[in-house]
Amino acid sequence: FNKCVSRNKRLREEIDGLRGERVTFEKVYRKIEKELREKKKQMALVIEQSNHAYEQRDKAQLEVAAIERLNRKEEGAYHQQMSDLTEE
């Protein structure tokens, strides 16, 4: 009977120790999950900002291309006018 009581006491101590470890692991797990959620939010924000920057860059490139086309057109007209004036 004493052996059973002694064994039960050891098993209870072991169970209590394992329960304590589980509590510790659960705290660590919750902390890591929270950090992961925060990192995902930050990542989504950075992706959104990046997409906005790409859109602005594309818009600026289109504007530059339009200005360059207009400049070439005006330059051609200028050269044509200069040519017409020098022929007269």
Side-chain angles (χ1 to χ4, degrees):
F1 177 76
N2 286 340
K3 286 182 182 180
C4 286
V5 170
S6 173
R7 183 166 185 262
N8 282 345
K9 182 180 177 184
R10 257 187 303 113
L11 290 173
R12 256 189 244 110
E13 289 172 355
E14 185 179 342
I15 288 170
D16 289 342
L18 291 172
R19 284 180 178 156
E21 284 182 28
R22 186 181 80 195
V23 168
T24 302
F25 287 135
E26 285 176 349
K27 285 180 185 178
V28 170
Y29 181 78
R30 282 192 299 272
K31 180 182 174 188
I32 291 172
E33 272 189 327
K34 181 181 177 185
E35 290 174 4
L36 179 62
R37 282 192 305 273
E38 290 172 3
K39 293 293 180 189
K40 283 183 178 182
K41 285 179 186 178
Q42 290 175 353
M43 192 170 72
L45 180 62
V46 169
I47 289 171
E48 185 178 328
Q49 291 171 344
S50 174
N51 287 338
H52 183 66
Y54 281 127
E55 289 171 4
Q56 288 181 327
R57 182 202 63 190
D58 291 344
K59 182 179 177 184
Q61 286 176 336
L62 289 174
E63 289 177 15
V64 167
I67 290 170
E68 287 174 346
R69 280 193 305 275
L70 181 61
N71 187 36
R72 283 193 299 274
K73 182 179 176 183
E74 289 177 354
E75 187 178 4
Y78 168 78
H79 288 299
Q80 182 62 42
Q81 286 177 350
M82 290 303 288
S83 176
D84 291 346
L85 290 175
T86 55
E87 289 176 3
E88 292 178 2

